[in-house]
Amino acid sequence: MSTPDIVIRQLTPADSAAFCALRLRAIQNSPSSFSSSREDELARTPEEHVQRIAGGAMQRAFGAFDGGRLVGFAGLRREAMRQLSHKALLWGVFVDVPQRGKGVARRLVAACIALAENDPAILQVHLSVNAENNSARQLYESLGFIRYGTEPRSMRVGELFYDEHHLALLLK
């Protein structure tokens, strides 16, 4: 089921406060899905948040809006080092619980993929996903990502360790 009234668009500096609020809620609801902790997010300056979502050609983010309310996001960051600049990283994919199961995450990831495809310098997109998050992994694989490895104990949340699968989408 899709939600046509949800609008997907690139985030701008004006969306920074809404992004920060939703990101904090995302980390609180799904701490093992994000490498940042609540404390990490709260320590970022407003300028750092703006850079993360609207940092020019190297760093962009998309938001899913239900009316004026941000209900999901996904980011794409291109590697800056010359020998790695053919790669981009898909990061921070999240959709608020009431909007899940409606294709919003697919649309957000597709927007990031389209952005990468339109940048001739980006040849592949990488991501990491919690090994226990089968629905997210299945979404990524349905969009053409292939798993190339699993990092054991990649993340520690409290006393629990989580493995992460590494996936890549080869564009060109």
Side-chain angles (χ1 to χ4, degrees), residues 4-16:
D5 51 327
I6 299 290
V7 173
I8 307 294
R9 67 165 174 80
Q10 280 192 21
L11 295 177
T12 69
D15 299 312
S16 181

Side-chain angles (χ1 to χ4, degrees), residues 55 101-102 122 124:
K102 300 175 182 177
I122 298 175
Q124 57 201 59

Side-chain angles (χ1 to χ4, degrees), residues 77-145:
R77 178 177 64 240
R78 191 168 136 220
E79 294 288 347
M81 293 186 291
R82 183 178 313 269
Q83 294 184 166
L84 301 177
S85 65
H86 65 288
K87 297 191 284 187
L89 175 70
L90 178 69
W91 62 271
V93 178
F94 178 77
V95 174
D96 217 358
V97 175
Q99 300 298 338
R100 291 186 186 165
K102 300 175 182 177
V104 177
R106 176 175 297 278
R107 291 175 60 202
L108 284 165
V109 174
C112 289
I113 292 170
L115 181 66
E117 288 175 331
N118 286 322
D119 183 335
I122 298 175
L123 303 179
Q124 57 201 59
V125 178
H126 290 253
L127 65 86
S128 296
V129 62
N130 184 317
E132 296 178 9
N133 192 342
N134 289 323
S135 60
R137 181 189 46 78
Q138 289 169 354
L139 167 65
Y140 301 136
E141 289 175 346
S142 76
L143 291 167
F145 284 85

